[in-house]
Each structure stands twice: as structure tokens, then as C-alpha cells.
Amino acid sequence: MSWTWLRPLLAWVACAGGAAIGYGLGAWVGHPVWMAAAGVSGVVLMLGTHDAVHAHRFIRWLRGPRTVALGDAPGLWSEVFFRAERKLKALEHDLLQEREQRSQFLSAIEASPNGVLLLDESDQIEWCNRVAAEHFGLDVQRDILQRITNLVRVPAFVAYLQGGTWTEPVVVEGRDAASSLSVLVRRYGQDRKIVLSMDITERQRGEAMRRDFVANVSHEIRTPLTVLAGFIETMENLPLTETERQRVLLLMRQQTDRMHVLVADLLTLAQLEGSPRPSLDRWNRLSPLLQRIEADGCTLSAGRHTLAFPADLPVEVAGVEAEILSAVGNLVNNAVRYTPAGGRIEVSWVDHGAGYAALEVRDNGIGIAREHLPRLTERFYRVDGSRSRETGGTGLGLAIVKHVMQRHGGELEVESEPGKGSCFRLVFPSARVRPTTAVQAVPNTFDDRAITR
Ligand code: ADP
């Protein structure tokens, strides 16, 4: 049952009571004017008390958490309570919505892969996302309201921020000297600034590698071209005997062969970079593949080495046959070229179980000093440049091998000791290795792209 009617009734009873008390007091004094005045002031007193009670209730409600409704009030107070409640509810709803929008907006900036930093008019940090904190070495909580230039003292950044000309981004050193950031400042609001940062370390490294690569290729091609130009000039200007002419032609052929191998290796690398990841269901039997490599190795060695290959290897590897052939072929080619005559080159399959299976190419050749090992797979990296070139090397062989193994989810392991020999291991992931099935694998003609060397 609702008791809302009770309060106005009580208020009016109180007013009437007040008037009656006033009138009674007037009667006690014994004068009609005093009686009337006392009655009126009684009413006014009661009405005042009634208003004060409701005003107090209203203020208490406003100050409190406003979790309960104001409830009913008599007369005008009912209207005041109703409108105040409605207005406040609307304001609180708007405020909540604004807060929600703001937090969503900040979470969106937080999720940005780039750094975002908001500065006030005194360059104090108002807000920054985690990426910016990482870029500039800031603490998202602790450094709020700190002046950015007190925390980030990189001279290029400070000069750029204070310079006020922000049409182009500036490249500054990141937290550690090896990293680079591209920083852009924009003005917004009333002299506030937004600082956007992007880590460009990888991009810069890539650009440097590309520059080095082009310089190396140019250098590699220029040498045989210069030699060829010299021979052409010789043939044009000098009367040569037939023997001399044959000798010059042979040397010219060697230079063109060298360029041919270089271009072929470059094309192989480009092909590897642009191809999709080798599929897991194209199985290649290793035995026939190794037979082809053994034949090439024997031709290259020309009887100067002992080559030992497994007689029959009942193993299949999933991937691109031409790439696997190229990787193993490169290792055998290197073993022959870097092993003096009389040396031994042995190819074997190693399966330690527990998912470790590898094809191993071991030689007892010149070996490689420890400090060179981490750089062997860099393009054009050679331990001994002249020996590599003399034996027809391009400096790209191991880069190709590494690339092939990465694409097949495997890796290249190297062990070597100067004067004792080297062991190069192609480690395949277990998902790409299986024993040869009874049914012959379908010849892998589709993937058999021309990969030289
Ligand atoms: P290259 O065409 O010069 O042989 P690679 O990329 O195949 O280029 O090899 C890089 C370098 O690693 C070679 O220049 C050589 O110094 C060294 N190297 C590779 N294989 C062997 C090996 N089996 N024995 C000794 N050194 C090797």
C-alpha cells in the first residue's frame, strides 16, 4: 500500500495545528488582533518548518550518492524534486556516455602500433600510450605531468620539439643507440601537442641491407666485366696467334661463366623470397636426390676427393624438391671447393629421435675460424674472398641454404674448426620427415623449378 498521501496530509495538519496553536495563544492573551496575528505566524512558522525540512532533505540527497530516489513531497516540492531528479539523471547519463566514449577513444589509441603522446601547453605529459612509453623510456603512470624534455633528452628530439617547425618527421635515436624512431609533432587545441612516434629500426636496417646488396652485386659484376673489356680490347688491337686467341677466349668464357653463376644465384634468392611457403604434403625421396648431387660432386671434385654418400636412404622430406636439391648441392659444392685434394666428404642422415632429423655434410677441409661462423649466411660474406672466387664461388651459396631451410621450417647448423674440417647440418622439422612409403612418391615435377648450383 502506498503512503504517499500521508505526507501532504501531515503537513496540512501541522499547518492547521500551527494556526490553532497561534490562535489559542492569541485568545490566551485576550485580543482579537493578537489572536489573528498569532494564528497567521503559527501558519507561517509551520510552513517555514515544512519547507526547511524538504530543503534539507533535497540538499542531503544532492550531496549523497543518489542511489535512492528522492521520493514524494507535497505541493511545489514535488515538482522541484521531480525536475531536479530528471535533470540530474540526464546529466549523469550524458557524463557516463562521454566517459565511455573517451575511454574507448583512448583504448583505440592504446592499441595503435605507433606511439602517441599528448603534451599540454608547457610540454608536460598529459597522456601517453604504452608504445610511446616504450619508445621514449617513459612510465605511463609515474611520468604524467612531467615535462617531456626533462625525461627525453635526445638533442635531436629536444631541438625538433622546441623548434616549432613540424612539417616533416624527424629521425631520432630510440631508447638504445641501435634503434631509430621517426617522430612527428602536431599542434591541437590551445597550444597542446600530439607527438607521434614510429619505430623504424627494421626499415632502416632493411634499407641499409638493400644498399649493401646493390653495392655488392655491382662490385661482383664489375670485376668480370672489366676483365672481359680488357680481353676484347686485346683482341681488337693485338695480332694474336691461334694459341693466344684460344687462351683469351677460354679466360673470357670463365668470366662469363662467373657472371652466369652469379645471376643464377641472385635469381634463386629472388625466387625464394617471392614464393609461397612449401607445402607439407609434397614428399620427396632423398635417395634419388642425393644420387644427382653425388654425380655433380664427383664431376666438380674430378677424382681429387673421396665422396661418401648413403647407399640407400629410406627417408622422404616434404617441400620443394628443387630447393632441397639446391641446399644440399650447395653444401656438397662448398665441401669439395674448401677441401684440399685427398680429403674426404661424407653425406649422412642423422636421426636422434625426439624430432631431430638432419642431413649432414661433413668434410675434413680447411675449416672456418669461430668468429666467422655467425656471419657465414650473410649475402656475399666470404672468409677468404680470393679462394671463393678462384673456385667459382659467389658468396651467396649459404644465404640460399639458410633461406631454403627457413622456408621449410628448419635450420642450418654449422660446426667447424680451422685445419680440421666442417660439418654443415640441414635440420628438418619432424612434420616434414617420414620414412619412405612402400608406394612410390609422385614425381615432383610441378615444383621442379630451375635452381642452379
Ligand atoms: P661461396 O660462394 O663463397 O662459397 P658461400 O655462401 O657458399 O659462398 O660460403 C660462404 C663462405 O663460407 C665461403 O666463402 C667460405 O669462406 C666459407 N665456407 C663455406 N663452406 C665451407 C666449407 N665446407 N669449408 C670451409 N669454408 C667454407
Side-chain angles (χ1 to χ4, degrees), residues 334-335 337-338 363 366-368 376 381-384 388 393-399 422 424 453:
N334 281 353
R337 286 167 46 233
Y338 298 108
D363 66 59
I366 58 171
I368 306 159
L376 283 187
Y381 187 83
R382 290 152 162 133
V383 178
D384 178 350
S388 158
T394 59
L396 294 174
L398 291 182
S422 312
F424 288 79
R453 285 231 299 171

PDB file of all heavy atoms in Angstrom, residues 334-335 337-338 363 366-368 376 381-384 388 393-399 422 424 453, ligand 1:
ATOM      1  N   ASN A 334      80.425 -26.660 -51.707  1.00  0.00           N
ATOM      2  CA  ASN A 334      81.369 -25.963 -50.823  1.00  0.00           C
ATOM      3  C   ASN A 334      82.385 -26.937 -50.237  1.00  0.00           C
ATOM      4  O   ASN A 334      83.586 -26.635 -50.177  1.00  0.00           O
ATOM      5  CB  ASN A 334      80.620 -25.297 -49.664  1.00  0.00           C
ATOM      6  CG  ASN A 334      79.974 -23.995 -50.094  1.00  0.00           C
ATOM      7  OD1 ASN A 334      80.187 -23.536 -51.202  1.00  0.00           O
ATOM      8  ND2 ASN A 334      79.181 -23.402 -49.222  1.00  0.00           N
ATOM      9  N   ALA A 335      81.882 -28.123 -49.801  1.00  0.00           N
ATOM     10  CA  ALA A 335      82.779 -29.101 -49.173  1.00  0.00           C
ATOM     11  C   ALA A 335      83.897 -29.472 -50.144  1.00  0.00           C
ATOM     12  O   ALA A 335      85.073 -29.552 -49.755  1.00  0.00           O
ATOM     13  CB  ALA A 335      81.984 -30.334 -48.760  1.00  0.00           C
ATOM     14  N   ARG A 337      84.951 -27.637 -52.713  1.00  0.00           N
ATOM     15  CA  ARG A 337      85.797 -26.475 -53.026  1.00  0.00           C
ATOM     16  C   ARG A 337      86.715 -26.078 -51.867  1.00  0.00           C
ATOM     17  O   ARG A 337      87.786 -25.510 -52.078  1.00  0.00           O
ATOM     18  CB  ARG A 337      84.911 -25.283 -53.415  1.00  0.00           C
ATOM     19  CG  ARG A 337      84.337 -25.465 -54.816  1.00  0.00           C
ATOM     20  CD  ARG A 337      83.210 -24.478 -55.114  1.00  0.00           C
ATOM     21  NE  ARG A 337      83.549 -23.154 -54.731  1.00  0.00           N
ATOM     22  CZ  ARG A 337      82.790 -22.391 -53.939  1.00  0.00           C
ATOM     23  NH1 ARG A 337      81.641 -22.845 -53.476  1.00  0.00           N
ATOM     24  NH2 ARG A 337      83.164 -21.182 -53.632  1.00  0.00           N
ATOM     25  N   TYR A 338      86.286 -26.349 -50.635  1.00  0.00           N
ATOM     26  CA  TYR A 338      87.108 -25.928 -49.493  1.00  0.00           C
ATOM     27  C   TYR A 338      87.836 -27.091 -48.817  1.00  0.00           C
ATOM     28  O   TYR A 338      88.250 -26.998 -47.683  1.00  0.00           O
ATOM     29  CB  TYR A 338      86.248 -25.153 -48.484  1.00  0.00           C
ATOM     30  CG  TYR A 338      85.683 -23.886 -49.092  1.00  0.00           C
ATOM     31  CD1 TYR A 338      84.333 -23.779 -49.409  1.00  0.00           C
ATOM     32  CD2 TYR A 338      86.526 -22.813 -49.394  1.00  0.00           C
ATOM     33  CE1 TYR A 338      83.821 -22.631 -50.001  1.00  0.00           C
ATOM     34  CE2 TYR A 338      86.020 -21.661 -49.989  1.00  0.00           C
ATOM     35  CZ  TYR A 338      84.675 -21.579 -50.286  1.00  0.00           C
ATOM     36  OH  TYR A 338      84.191 -20.435 -50.878  1.00  0.00           O
ATOM     37  N   ASP A 363      83.157 -32.490 -43.957  1.00  0.00           N
ATOM     38  CA  ASP A 363      84.413 -32.583 -44.729  1.00  0.00           C
ATOM     39  C   ASP A 363      85.588 -32.436 -43.786  1.00  0.00           C
ATOM     40  O   ASP A 363      85.420 -31.998 -42.636  1.00  0.00           O
ATOM     41  CB  ASP A 363      84.454 -31.512 -45.835  1.00  0.00           C
ATOM     42  CG  ASP A 363      84.508 -30.102 -45.296  1.00  0.00           C
ATOM     43  OD1 ASP A 363      85.450 -29.772 -44.564  1.00  0.00           O
ATOM     44  OD2 ASP A 363      83.585 -29.307 -45.592  1.00  0.00           O
ATOM     45  N   ILE A 366      89.547 -27.153 -45.035  1.00  0.00           N
ATOM     46  CA  ILE A 366      90.302 -26.065 -44.381  1.00  0.00           C
ATOM     47  C   ILE A 366      89.637 -25.572 -43.089  1.00  0.00           C
ATOM     48  O   ILE A 366      90.274 -24.950 -42.255  1.00  0.00           O
ATOM     49  CB  ILE A 366      90.502 -24.873 -45.345  1.00  0.00           C
ATOM     50  CG1 ILE A 366      89.153 -24.332 -45.834  1.00  0.00           C
ATOM     51  CG2 ILE A 366      91.370 -25.267 -46.529  1.00  0.00           C
ATOM     52  CD1 ILE A 366      89.274 -23.030 -46.608  1.00  0.00           C
ATOM     53  N   GLY A 367      88.333 -25.809 -42.936  1.00  0.00           N
ATOM     54  CA  GLY A 367      87.642 -25.368 -41.719  1.00  0.00           C
ATOM     55  C   GLY A 367      87.448 -23.855 -41.680  1.00  0.00           C
ATOM     56  O   GLY A 367      87.943 -23.116 -42.542  1.00  0.00           O
ATOM     57  N   ILE A 368      86.727 -23.403 -40.666  1.00  0.00           N
ATOM     58  CA  ILE A 368      86.387 -21.974 -40.560  1.00  0.00           C
ATOM     59  C   ILE A 368      86.620 -21.522 -39.119  1.00  0.00           C
ATOM     60  O   ILE A 368      86.204 -22.211 -38.176  1.00  0.00           O
ATOM     61  CB  ILE A 368      84.894 -21.744 -40.916  1.00  0.00           C
ATOM     62  CG1 ILE A 368      84.570 -22.346 -42.286  1.00  0.00           C
ATOM     63  CG2 ILE A 368      84.521 -20.271 -40.881  1.00  0.00           C
ATOM     64  CD1 ILE A 368      83.099 -22.617 -42.506  1.00  0.00           C
ATOM     65  N   LEU A 376      78.392 -16.390 -41.710  1.00  0.00           N
ATOM     66  CA  LEU A 376      78.548 -17.187 -42.943  1.00  0.00           C
ATOM     67  C   LEU A 376      77.360 -17.088 -43.891  1.00  0.00           C
ATOM     68  O   LEU A 376      77.526 -17.124 -45.105  1.00  0.00           O
ATOM     69  CB  LEU A 376      78.758 -18.663 -42.593  1.00  0.00           C
ATOM     70  CG  LEU A 376      80.131 -19.079 -42.087  1.00  0.00           C
ATOM     71  CD1 LEU A 376      80.179 -20.582 -41.968  1.00  0.00           C
ATOM     72  CD2 LEU A 376      81.227 -18.585 -43.026  1.00  0.00           C
ATOM     73  N   TYR A 381      79.140 -12.787 -47.901  1.00  0.00           N
ATOM     74  CA  TYR A 381      80.169 -12.905 -46.865  1.00  0.00           C
ATOM     75  C   TYR A 381      81.085 -14.088 -47.197  1.00  0.00           C
ATOM     76  O   TYR A 381      80.625 -15.191 -47.437  1.00  0.00           O
ATOM     77  CB  TYR A 381      79.531 -13.116 -45.481  1.00  0.00           C
ATOM     78  CG  TYR A 381      80.575 -13.072 -44.386  1.00  0.00           C
ATOM     79  CD1 TYR A 381      81.011 -11.858 -43.876  1.00  0.00           C
ATOM     80  CD2 TYR A 381      81.155 -14.238 -43.906  1.00  0.00           C
ATOM     81  CE1 TYR A 381      82.000 -11.801 -42.902  1.00  0.00           C
ATOM     82  CE2 TYR A 381      82.151 -14.196 -42.937  1.00  0.00           C
ATOM     83  CZ  TYR A 381      82.558 -12.980 -42.440  1.00  0.00           C
ATOM     84  OH  TYR A 381      83.545 -12.918 -41.493  1.00  0.00           O
ATOM     85  N   ARG A 382      82.374 -13.796 -47.250  1.00  0.00           N
ATOM     86  CA  ARG A 382      83.350 -14.853 -47.538  1.00  0.00           C
ATOM     87  C   ARG A 382      84.457 -14.779 -46.507  1.00  0.00           C
ATOM     88  O   ARG A 382      84.875 -13.689 -46.120  1.00  0.00           O
ATOM     89  CB  ARG A 382      83.982 -14.640 -48.913  1.00  0.00           C
ATOM     90  CG  ARG A 382      83.028 -14.885 -50.065  1.00  0.00           C
ATOM     91  CD  ARG A 382      83.476 -14.042 -51.208  1.00  0.00           C
ATOM     92  NE  ARG A 382      82.931 -14.488 -52.463  1.00  0.00           N
ATOM     93  CZ  ARG A 382      82.381 -13.666 -53.341  1.00  0.00           C
ATOM     94  NH1 ARG A 382      82.318 -12.375 -53.077  1.00  0.00           N
ATOM     95  NH2 ARG A 382      81.926 -14.124 -54.479  1.00  0.00           N
ATOM     96  N   VAL A 383      84.948 -15.952 -46.105  1.00  0.00           N
ATOM     97  CA  VAL A 383      86.076 -15.959 -45.167  1.00  0.00           C
ATOM     98  C   VAL A 383      87.340 -15.578 -45.947  1.00  0.00           C
ATOM     99  O   VAL A 383      88.111 -14.738 -45.526  1.00  0.00           O
ATOM    100  CB  VAL A 383      86.235 -17.356 -44.524  1.00  0.00           C
ATOM    101  CG1 VAL A 383      87.434 -17.390 -43.582  1.00  0.00           C
ATOM    102  CG2 VAL A 383      84.950 -17.731 -43.788  1.00  0.00           C
ATOM    103  N   ASP A 384      87.489 -16.205 -47.090  1.00  0.00           N
ATOM    104  CA  ASP A 384      88.649 -15.927 -47.935  1.00  0.00           C
ATOM    105  C   ASP A 384      88.119 -15.623 -49.342  1.00  0.00           C
ATOM    106  O   ASP A 384      87.807 -16.537 -50.113  1.00  0.00           O
ATOM    107  CB  ASP A 384      89.569 -17.166 -47.910  1.00  0.00           C
ATOM    108  CG  ASP A 384      90.796 -16.998 -48.810  1.00  0.00           C
ATOM    109  OD1 ASP A 384      90.825 -16.020 -49.589  1.00  0.00           O
ATOM    110  OD2 ASP A 384      91.706 -17.844 -48.738  1.00  0.00           O
ATOM    111  N   SER A 388      87.382 -18.149 -52.611  1.00  0.00           N
ATOM    112  CA  SER A 388      85.990 -18.340 -53.026  1.00  0.00           C
ATOM    113  C   SER A 388      85.845 -18.055 -54.529  1.00  0.00           C
ATOM    114  O   SER A 388      85.268 -18.850 -55.271  1.00  0.00           O
ATOM    115  CB  SER A 388      85.074 -17.412 -52.223  1.00  0.00           C
ATOM    116  OG  SER A 388      83.874 -17.196 -52.906  1.00  0.00           O
ATOM    117  N   GLY A 393      83.052 -19.384 -56.533  1.00  0.00           N
ATOM    118  CA  GLY A 393      82.028 -19.038 -55.522  1.00  0.00           C
ATOM    119  C   GLY A 393      81.445 -17.649 -55.752  1.00  0.00           C
ATOM    120  O   GLY A 393      82.108 -16.771 -56.301  1.00  0.00           O
ATOM    121  N   THR A 394      80.214 -17.461 -55.321  1.00  0.00           N
ATOM    122  CA  THR A 394      79.575 -16.143 -55.463  1.00  0.00           C
ATOM    123  C   THR A 394      79.356 -15.477 -54.106  1.00  0.00           C
ATOM    124  O   THR A 394      78.983 -14.315 -54.032  1.00  0.00           O
ATOM    125  CB  THR A 394      78.188 -16.300 -56.113  1.00  0.00           C
ATOM    126  OG1 THR A 394      77.405 -17.156 -55.277  1.00  0.00           O
ATOM    127  CG2 THR A 394      78.272 -16.878 -57.504  1.00  0.00           C
ATOM    128  N   GLY A 395      79.547 -16.241 -53.041  1.00  0.00           N
ATOM    129  CA  GLY A 395      79.280 -15.688 -51.712  1.00  0.00           C
ATOM    130  C   GLY A 395      77.798 -15.725 -51.369  1.00  0.00           C
ATOM    131  O   GLY A 395      77.362 -15.137 -50.376  1.00  0.00           O
ATOM    132  N   LEU A 396      77.016 -16.424 -52.215  1.00  0.00           N
ATOM    133  CA  LEU A 396      75.568 -16.463 -51.974  1.00  0.00           C
ATOM    134  C   LEU A 396      75.062 -17.861 -51.588  1.00  0.00           C
ATOM    135  O   LEU A 396      73.912 -18.033 -51.194  1.00  0.00           O
ATOM    136  CB  LEU A 396      74.814 -16.009 -53.236  1.00  0.00           C
ATOM    137  CG  LEU A 396      75.011 -14.552 -53.638  1.00  0.00           C
ATOM    138  CD1 LEU A 396      74.345 -14.277 -54.972  1.00  0.00           C
ATOM    139  CD2 LEU A 396      74.437 -13.624 -52.585  1.00  0.00           C
ATOM    140  N   GLY A 397      75.966 -18.852 -51.710  1.00  0.00           N
ATOM    141  CA  GLY A 397      75.541 -20.240 -51.509  1.00  0.00           C
ATOM    142  C   GLY A 397      74.873 -20.487 -50.160  1.00  0.00           C
ATOM    143  O   GLY A 397      73.758 -21.015 -50.099  1.00  0.00           O
ATOM    144  N   LEU A 398      75.543 -20.094 -49.075  1.00  0.00           N
ATOM    145  CA  LEU A 398      74.984 -20.394 -47.747  1.00  0.00           C
ATOM    146  C   LEU A 398      73.762 -19.519 -47.445  1.00  0.00           C
ATOM    147  O   LEU A 398      72.890 -19.919 -46.674  1.00  0.00           O
ATOM    148  CB  LEU A 398      76.054 -20.230 -46.670  1.00  0.00           C
ATOM    149  CG  LEU A 398      77.171 -21.278 -46.722  1.00  0.00           C
ATOM    150  CD1 LEU A 398      78.175 -21.068 -45.588  1.00  0.00           C
ATOM    151  CD2 LEU A 398      76.607 -22.698 -46.649  1.00  0.00           C
ATOM    152  N   ALA A 399      73.703 -18.337 -48.081  1.00  0.00           N
ATOM    153  CA  ALA A 399      72.494 -17.491 -47.910  1.00  0.00           C
ATOM    154  C   ALA A 399      71.301 -18.232 -48.510  1.00  0.00           C
ATOM    155  O   ALA A 399      70.200 -18.242 -47.940  1.00  0.00           O
ATOM    156  CB  ALA A 399      72.692 -16.143 -48.598  1.00  0.00           C
ATOM    157  N   SER A 422      84.782 -29.148 -41.533  1.00  0.00           N
ATOM    158  CA  SER A 422      83.491 -28.517 -41.189  1.00  0.00           C
ATOM    159  C   SER A 422      82.374 -29.532 -41.270  1.00  0.00           C
ATOM    160  O   SER A 422      82.480 -30.541 -41.978  1.00  0.00           O
ATOM    161  CB  SER A 422      83.167 -27.391 -42.172  1.00  0.00           C
ATOM    162  OG  SER A 422      84.275 -26.556 -42.349  1.00  0.00           O
ATOM    163  N   PHE A 424      78.210 -29.200 -41.869  1.00  0.00           N
ATOM    164  CA  PHE A 424      77.004 -28.391 -42.096  1.00  0.00           C
ATOM    165  C   PHE A 424      75.806 -29.327 -41.994  1.00  0.00           C
ATOM    166  O   PHE A 424      75.786 -30.373 -42.648  1.00  0.00           O
ATOM    167  CB  PHE A 424      77.033 -27.736 -43.482  1.00  0.00           C
ATOM    168  CG  PHE A 424      78.030 -26.609 -43.574  1.00  0.00           C
ATOM    169  CD1 PHE A 424      79.383 -26.862 -43.750  1.00  0.00           C
ATOM    170  CD2 PHE A 424      77.620 -25.289 -43.489  1.00  0.00           C
ATOM    171  CE1 PHE A 424      80.305 -25.830 -43.842  1.00  0.00           C
ATOM    172  CE2 PHE A 424      78.531 -24.235 -43.586  1.00  0.00           C
ATOM    173  CZ  PHE A 424      79.877 -24.515 -43.755  1.00  0.00           C
ATOM    174  N   ARG A 453      73.218 -24.486 -59.274  1.00  0.00           N
ATOM    175  CA  ARG A 453      74.298 -24.772 -58.332  1.00  0.00           C
ATOM    176  C   ARG A 453      73.993 -25.944 -57.426  1.00  0.00           C
ATOM    177  O   ARG A 453      72.875 -26.166 -57.042  1.00  0.00           O
ATOM    178  CB  ARG A 453      74.615 -23.554 -57.440  1.00  0.00           C
ATOM    179  CG  ARG A 453      75.373 -22.513 -58.188  1.00  0.00           C
ATOM    180  CD  ARG A 453      76.619 -22.064 -57.466  1.00  0.00           C
ATOM    181  NE  ARG A 453      76.300 -21.485 -56.168  1.00  0.00           N
ATOM    182  CZ  ARG A 453      77.241 -21.166 -55.266  1.00  0.00           C
ATOM    183  NH1 ARG A 453      78.494 -21.392 -55.532  1.00  0.00           N
ATOM    184  NH2 ARG A 453      76.943 -20.648 -54.117  1.00  0.00           N
TER     185      ARG A 453
HETATM  186  P1  ADP B   1      80.966 -19.054 -51.612  1.00  0.00           P
HETATM  187  O1  ADP B   1      80.296 -18.997 -52.900  1.00  0.00           O
HETATM  188  O2  ADP B   1      81.998 -18.016 -51.421  1.00  0.00           O
HETATM  189  O3  ADP B   1      81.449 -20.419 -51.275  1.00  0.00           O
HETATM  190  P2  ADP B   1      79.043 -19.483 -49.559  1.00  0.00           P
HETATM  191  O4  ADP B   1      77.919 -18.624 -49.109  1.00  0.00           O
HETATM  192  O5  ADP B   1      78.693 -20.813 -50.063  1.00  0.00           O
HETATM  193  O6  ADP B   1      79.858 -18.640 -50.558  1.00  0.00           O
HETATM  194  O7  ADP B   1      80.002 -19.666 -48.322  1.00  0.00           O
HETATM  195  C1  ADP B   1      80.398 -18.528 -47.592  1.00  0.00           C
HETATM  196  C2  ADP B   1      81.794 -18.715 -47.086  1.00  0.00           C
HETATM  197  O8  ADP B   1      81.828 -19.748 -46.117  1.00  0.00           O
HETATM  198  C3  ADP B   1      82.757 -19.161 -48.135  1.00  0.00           C
HETATM  199  O9  ADP B   1      83.291 -18.061 -48.828  1.00  0.00           O
HETATM  200  C4  ADP B   1      83.810 -19.897 -47.343  1.00  0.00           C
HETATM  201  O10 ADP B   1      84.757 -18.976 -46.841  1.00  0.00           O
HETATM  202  C5  ADP B   1      83.032 -20.460 -46.169  1.00  0.00           C
HETATM  203  N1  ADP B   1      82.720 -21.902 -46.357  1.00  0.00           N
HETATM  204  C6  ADP B   1      81.555 -22.407 -46.804  1.00  0.00           C
HETATM  205  N2  ADP B   1      81.595 -23.751 -46.796  1.00  0.00           N
HETATM  206  C7  ADP B   1      82.792 -24.094 -46.310  1.00  0.00           C
HETATM  207  C8  ADP B   1      83.457 -25.353 -46.054  1.00  0.00           C
HETATM  208  N3  ADP B   1      82.852 -26.510 -46.283  1.00  0.00           N
HETATM  209  N4  ADP B   1      84.699 -25.305 -45.553  1.00  0.00           N
HETATM  210  C9  ADP B   1      85.317 -24.137 -45.314  1.00  0.00           C
HETATM  211  N5  ADP B   1      84.763 -22.928 -45.538  1.00  0.00           N
HETATM  212  C10 ADP B   1      83.525 -22.903 -46.040  1.00  0.00           C
END
